[in-house]
Amino acid sequence: MIVLTIDQRGSRASEDKVQALLEQLRGVQTVRPFQRTAGDELQAVLKSAPDAMGIALHLAQSGDWSVGIGVGPVNEPLPKETRAGSGDAFVYARSAVEAAKKSPANLCLRASEHESAGERLDASLQLVSLLERRRSSPSAEAGRLLASGLTQREIGDSLGISQQAVSSRLSSGLWNEVERMKAWIADDLQELSQ
């Protein structure tokens, strides 16, 4: 299983953003729903690696959240309340969110201490997060439009630039490379969580 533990960064100096985030995450498919666990923190249990990874990357890149991903077994049957869950994945998620608070990527993944695959996934996720965060606004915009299904020609038309300029923006943002890496990470994360 995959447990996400998400902690609001700088919560003592800003308003509580947990309730708004809970509303945003309401439609996500989970094994146990996102739920406030304590103060400025929330947690959920997921089976889908692409969903977990997408949420973790999005929140970490916002700069508002530290995200811990714990991968491993959970004690079953799971209680109805997410915050009452236990097992290795919950322990790893706690360790990961604490590490994420000190990480420039704002996210960490922890799995079995003997799993080098978990360490590789952690490093890969952090690298992807940092690469995506450091994209220029034009590169990120071209990537979002490409992800929405537009062709490079259509993106160029909508932005009033040439197809070559679109290609340059995608290239400078390492769009294709990062997307391929994310697909591999999601596959490996899914396999590790089984």
Side-chain angles (χ1 to χ4, degrees):
M1 291 284 185
I2 302 168
V3 175
L4 290 183
T5 299
I6 303 163
D7 188 62
Q8 184 178 337
R9 297 174 67 86
S11 60
R12 293 181 184 168
S14 66
E15 81 276 0
D16 184 327
K17 298 178 182 178
V18 172
Q19 192 57 45
L21 182 58
L22 285 168
E23 293 297 322
Q24 289 174 12
L25 296 170
R26 189 176 300 268
V28 175
Q29 292 292 327
T30 60
V31 176
R32 289 296 177 267
F34 283 94
Q35 187 176 59
R36 186 186 293 260
T37 55
D40 57 358
E41 187 177 277
L42 59 153
Q43 194 170 56
V45 181
L46 296 95
K47 274 191 179 175
S48 168
D51 287 350
M53 186 181 77
I55 292 165
L57 286 169
H58 174 74
L59 295 177
Q61 290 165 20
S62 74
D64 292 333
W65 305 96
S66 295
V67 183
I69 305 170
V71 183
V74 297
N75 292 335
E76 296 194 61
L78 277 167
K80 285 186 177 188
E81 295 286 315
T82 306
R83 61 181 150 243
S86 61
D88 290 349
F90 286 91
V91 173
Y92 296 145
R94 165 65 42 218
S95 172
V97 79
E98 292 303 322
K101 292 175 184 179
K102 300 174 187 117
S103 164
N106 298 341
L107 82 123
C108 286
L109 180 143
R110 295 291 183 262
S112 170
E113 292 176 20
H114 305 289
E115 290 284 346
S116 60
E119 291 177 18
R120 284 192 303 274
L121 284 174
D122 179 45
S124 298
L125 276 169
Q126 289 190 38
L127 180 61
V128 164
S129 181
L130 291 169
L131 286 170
E132 288 186 334
R133 184 182 301 160
R134 292 178 180 174
R135 282 183 179 143
S136 69
S137 294
S139 290
E141 180 180 34
R144 281 191 298 274
L145 292 171
L146 186 66
S148 76
L150 296 180
T151 66
Q152 287 189 23
R153 175 168 283 156
E154 292 168 333
I155 294 168
D157 290 345
S158 72
L159 297 176
I161 60 175
S162 70
Q163 184 177 350
Q164 287 127 336
V166 171
S167 179
S168 178
R169 289 180 182 190
L170 293 171
S171 179
S172 70
L174 300 172
W175 183 263
N176 291 322
E177 295 81 2
V178 168
E179 289 304 302
R180 284 181 24 225
M181 192 171 193
K182 284 165 61 174
W184 294 329
I185 293 168
D187 287 347
D188 289 348
L189 180 56
Q190 194 69 58
E191 186 176 322
L192 187 64
S193 70
Q194 301 302 317

PDB file of all heavy atoms in Angstrom, residues 121-137:
ATOM      1  N   LEU A 121      13.721   5.194  -6.024  1.00  0.00           N
ATOM      2  CA  LEU A 121      12.481   5.929  -6.271  1.00  0.00           C
ATOM      3  C   LEU A 121      12.485   7.272  -5.557  1.00  0.00           C
ATOM      4  O   LEU A 121      12.032   8.279  -6.106  1.00  0.00           O
ATOM      5  CB  LEU A 121      11.267   5.102  -5.826  1.00  0.00           C
ATOM      6  CG  LEU A 121      10.870   3.967  -6.745  1.00  0.00           C
ATOM      7  CD1 LEU A 121       9.758   3.135  -6.111  1.00  0.00           C
ATOM      8  CD2 LEU A 121      10.429   4.499  -8.089  1.00  0.00           C
ATOM      9  N   ASP A 122      12.989   7.301  -4.345  1.00  0.00           N
ATOM     10  CA  ASP A 122      13.079   8.549  -3.596  1.00  0.00           C
ATOM     11  C   ASP A 122      13.933   9.559  -4.356  1.00  0.00           C
ATOM     12  O   ASP A 122      13.520  10.705  -4.577  1.00  0.00           O
ATOM     13  CB  ASP A 122      13.655   8.282  -2.205  1.00  0.00           C
ATOM     14  CG  ASP A 122      13.810   9.536  -1.369  1.00  0.00           C
ATOM     15  OD1 ASP A 122      12.876  10.363  -1.345  1.00  0.00           O
ATOM     16  OD2 ASP A 122      14.875   9.702  -0.741  1.00  0.00           O
ATOM     17  N   ALA A 123      15.120   9.150  -4.776  1.00  0.00           N
ATOM     18  CA  ALA A 123      16.010  10.051  -5.509  1.00  0.00           C
ATOM     19  C   ALA A 123      15.380  10.498  -6.830  1.00  0.00           C
ATOM     20  O   ALA A 123      15.457  11.675  -7.197  1.00  0.00           O
ATOM     21  CB  ALA A 123      17.353   9.365  -5.763  1.00  0.00           C
ATOM     22  N   SER A 124      14.733   9.571  -7.525  1.00  0.00           N
ATOM     23  CA  SER A 124      14.102   9.901  -8.810  1.00  0.00           C
ATOM     24  C   SER A 124      12.966  10.894  -8.634  1.00  0.00           C
ATOM     25  O   SER A 124      12.839  11.855  -9.400  1.00  0.00           O
ATOM     26  CB  SER A 124      13.590   8.629  -9.486  1.00  0.00           C
ATOM     27  OG  SER A 124      14.651   7.744  -9.764  1.00  0.00           O
ATOM     28  N   LEU A 125      12.111  10.666  -7.636  1.00  0.00           N
ATOM     29  CA  LEU A 125      10.999  11.594  -7.382  1.00  0.00           C
ATOM     30  C   LEU A 125      11.499  12.983  -7.016  1.00  0.00           C
ATOM     31  O   LEU A 125      10.958  13.993  -7.477  1.00  0.00           O
ATOM     32  CB  LEU A 125      10.104  11.059  -6.262  1.00  0.00           C
ATOM     33  CG  LEU A 125       9.042  10.072  -6.663  1.00  0.00           C
ATOM     34  CD1 LEU A 125       8.415   9.426  -5.430  1.00  0.00           C
ATOM     35  CD2 LEU A 125       7.973  10.738  -7.509  1.00  0.00           C
ATOM     36  N   GLN A 126      12.528  13.040  -6.191  1.00  0.00           N
ATOM     37  CA  GLN A 126      13.072  14.343  -5.814  1.00  0.00           C
ATOM     38  C   GLN A 126      13.641  15.064  -7.027  1.00  0.00           C
ATOM     39  O   GLN A 126      13.424  16.267  -7.197  1.00  0.00           O
ATOM     40  CB  GLN A 126      14.121  14.182  -4.717  1.00  0.00           C
ATOM     41  CG  GLN A 126      13.490  13.804  -3.389  1.00  0.00           C
ATOM     42  CD  GLN A 126      14.465  13.878  -2.252  1.00  0.00           C
ATOM     43  OE1 GLN A 126      15.299  14.768  -2.206  1.00  0.00           O
ATOM     44  NE2 GLN A 126      14.341  12.963  -1.309  1.00  0.00           N
ATOM     45  N   LEU A 127      14.342  14.335  -7.885  1.00  0.00           N
ATOM     46  CA  LEU A 127      14.902  14.937  -9.085  1.00  0.00           C
ATOM     47  C   LEU A 127      13.798  15.465 -10.004  1.00  0.00           C
ATOM     48  O   LEU A 127      13.869  16.601 -10.492  1.00  0.00           O
ATOM     49  CB  LEU A 127      15.774  13.917  -9.831  1.00  0.00           C
ATOM     50  CG  LEU A 127      16.430  14.411 -11.111  1.00  0.00           C
ATOM     51  CD1 LEU A 127      17.358  15.585 -10.839  1.00  0.00           C
ATOM     52  CD2 LEU A 127      17.199  13.270 -11.771  1.00  0.00           C
ATOM     53  N   VAL A 128      12.766  14.671 -10.219  1.00  0.00           N
ATOM     54  CA  VAL A 128      11.645  15.101 -11.061  1.00  0.00           C
ATOM     55  C   VAL A 128      10.996  16.353 -10.473  1.00  0.00           C
ATOM     56  O   VAL A 128      10.707  17.319 -11.188  1.00  0.00           O
ATOM     57  CB  VAL A 128      10.612  13.966 -11.236  1.00  0.00           C
ATOM     58  CG1 VAL A 128       9.280  14.490 -11.751  1.00  0.00           C
ATOM     59  CG2 VAL A 128      11.162  12.901 -12.172  1.00  0.00           C
ATOM     60  N   SER A 129      10.773  16.353  -9.174  1.00  0.00           N
ATOM     61  CA  SER A 129      10.152  17.508  -8.536  1.00  0.00           C
ATOM     62  C   SER A 129      10.987  18.772  -8.738  1.00  0.00           C
ATOM     63  O   SER A 129      10.459  19.831  -9.079  1.00  0.00           O
ATOM     64  CB  SER A 129       9.959  17.246  -7.035  1.00  0.00           C
ATOM     65  OG  SER A 129       9.344  18.348  -6.416  1.00  0.00           O
ATOM     66  N   LEU A 130      12.283  18.656  -8.548  1.00  0.00           N
ATOM     67  CA  LEU A 130      13.162  19.819  -8.713  1.00  0.00           C
ATOM     68  C   LEU A 130      13.231  20.277 -10.171  1.00  0.00           C
ATOM     69  O   LEU A 130      13.221  21.480 -10.450  1.00  0.00           O
ATOM     70  CB  LEU A 130      14.552  19.507  -8.176  1.00  0.00           C
ATOM     71  CG  LEU A 130      14.629  19.343  -6.662  1.00  0.00           C
ATOM     72  CD1 LEU A 130      15.977  18.776  -6.242  1.00  0.00           C
ATOM     73  CD2 LEU A 130      14.338  20.655  -5.952  1.00  0.00           C
ATOM     74  N   LEU A 131      13.279  19.330 -11.109  1.00  0.00           N
ATOM     75  CA  LEU A 131      13.299  19.698 -12.526  1.00  0.00           C
ATOM     76  C   LEU A 131      12.017  20.426 -12.915  1.00  0.00           C
ATOM     77  O   LEU A 131      12.061  21.445 -13.614  1.00  0.00           O
ATOM     78  CB  LEU A 131      13.484  18.461 -13.401  1.00  0.00           C
ATOM     79  CG  LEU A 131      14.887  17.861 -13.430  1.00  0.00           C
ATOM     80  CD1 LEU A 131      14.871  16.496 -14.131  1.00  0.00           C
ATOM     81  CD2 LEU A 131      15.868  18.796 -14.111  1.00  0.00           C
ATOM     82  N   GLU A 132      10.876  19.908 -12.471  1.00  0.00           N
ATOM     83  CA  GLU A 132       9.609  20.547 -12.821  1.00  0.00           C
ATOM     84  C   GLU A 132       9.489  21.928 -12.171  1.00  0.00           C
ATOM     85  O   GLU A 132       8.992  22.867 -12.789  1.00  0.00           O
ATOM     86  CB  GLU A 132       8.431  19.659 -12.424  1.00  0.00           C
ATOM     87  CG  GLU A 132       8.290  18.451 -13.324  1.00  0.00           C
ATOM     88  CD  GLU A 132       7.052  17.627 -13.063  1.00  0.00           C
ATOM     89  OE1 GLU A 132       6.538  17.643 -11.932  1.00  0.00           O
ATOM     90  OE2 GLU A 132       6.596  16.971 -14.002  1.00  0.00           O
ATOM     91  N   ARG A 133       9.949  22.050 -10.958  1.00  0.00           N
ATOM     92  CA  ARG A 133       9.859  23.331 -10.258  1.00  0.00           C
ATOM     93  C   ARG A 133      10.733  24.399 -10.908  1.00  0.00           C
ATOM     94  O   ARG A 133      10.404  25.581 -10.887  1.00  0.00           O
ATOM     95  CB  ARG A 133      10.252  23.164  -8.797  1.00  0.00           C
ATOM     96  CG  ARG A 133      10.083  24.459  -8.012  1.00  0.00           C
ATOM     97  CD  ARG A 133      10.497  24.350  -6.585  1.00  0.00           C
ATOM     98  NE  ARG A 133       9.740  23.327  -5.907  1.00  0.00           N
ATOM     99  CZ  ARG A 133      10.126  22.750  -4.788  1.00  0.00           C
ATOM    100  NH1 ARG A 133      11.241  23.094  -4.208  1.00  0.00           N
ATOM    101  NH2 ARG A 133       9.386  21.824  -4.220  1.00  0.00           N
ATOM    102  N   ARG A 134      11.843  23.982 -11.475  1.00  0.00           N
ATOM    103  CA  ARG A 134      12.794  24.941 -12.044  1.00  0.00           C
ATOM    104  C   ARG A 134      12.521  25.286 -13.503  1.00  0.00           C
ATOM    105  O   ARG A 134      13.258  26.067 -14.102  1.00  0.00           O
ATOM    106  CB  ARG A 134      14.209  24.400 -11.867  1.00  0.00           C
ATOM    107  CG  ARG A 134      14.586  24.386 -10.400  1.00  0.00           C
ATOM    108  CD  ARG A 134      15.930  23.833 -10.134  1.00  0.00           C
ATOM    109  NE  ARG A 134      16.176  23.861  -8.685  1.00  0.00           N
ATOM    110  CZ  ARG A 134      17.227  23.349  -8.114  1.00  0.00           C
ATOM    111  NH1 ARG A 134      18.165  22.783  -8.839  1.00  0.00           N
ATOM    112  NH2 ARG A 134      17.362  23.410  -6.805  1.00  0.00           N
ATOM    113  N   ARG A 135      11.462  24.740 -14.076  1.00  0.00           N
ATOM    114  CA  ARG A 135      11.105  25.098 -15.442  1.00  0.00           C
ATOM    115  C   ARG A 135      10.703  26.566 -15.496  1.00  0.00           C
ATOM    116  O   ARG A 135      10.077  27.091 -14.580  1.00  0.00           O
ATOM    117  CB  ARG A 135       9.914  24.273 -15.919  1.00  0.00           C
ATOM    118  CG  ARG A 135      10.244  22.893 -16.315  1.00  0.00           C
ATOM    119  CD  ARG A 135       9.028  22.176 -16.851  1.00  0.00           C
ATOM    120  NE  ARG A 135       9.398  20.826 -17.252  1.00  0.00           N
ATOM    121  CZ  ARG A 135       8.633  19.766 -17.102  1.00  0.00           C
ATOM    122  NH1 ARG A 135       7.436  19.882 -16.562  1.00  0.00           N
ATOM    123  NH2 ARG A 135       9.050  18.589 -17.489  1.00  0.00           N
ATOM    124  N   SER A 136      11.010  27.183 -16.615  1.00  0.00           N
ATOM    125  CA  SER A 136      10.532  28.558 -16.817  1.00  0.00           C
ATOM    126  C   SER A 136       9.022  28.524 -17.011  1.00  0.00           C
ATOM    127  O   SER A 136       8.453  27.485 -17.379  1.00  0.00           O
ATOM    128  CB  SER A 136      11.202  29.167 -18.045  1.00  0.00           C
ATOM    129  OG  SER A 136      10.730  28.527 -19.225  1.00  0.00           O
ATOM    130  N   SER A 137       8.372  29.638 -16.789  1.00  0.00           N
ATOM    131  CA  SER A 137       6.920  29.712 -16.992  1.00  0.00           C
ATOM    132  C   SER A 137       6.532  29.361 -18.423  1.00  0.00           C
ATOM    133  O   SER A 137       5.574  28.609 -18.632  1.00  0.00           O
ATOM    134  CB  SER A 137       6.389  31.100 -16.621  1.00  0.00           C
ATOM    135  OG  SER A 137       6.550  31.314 -15.249  1.00  0.00           O
TER     136      SER A 137
END
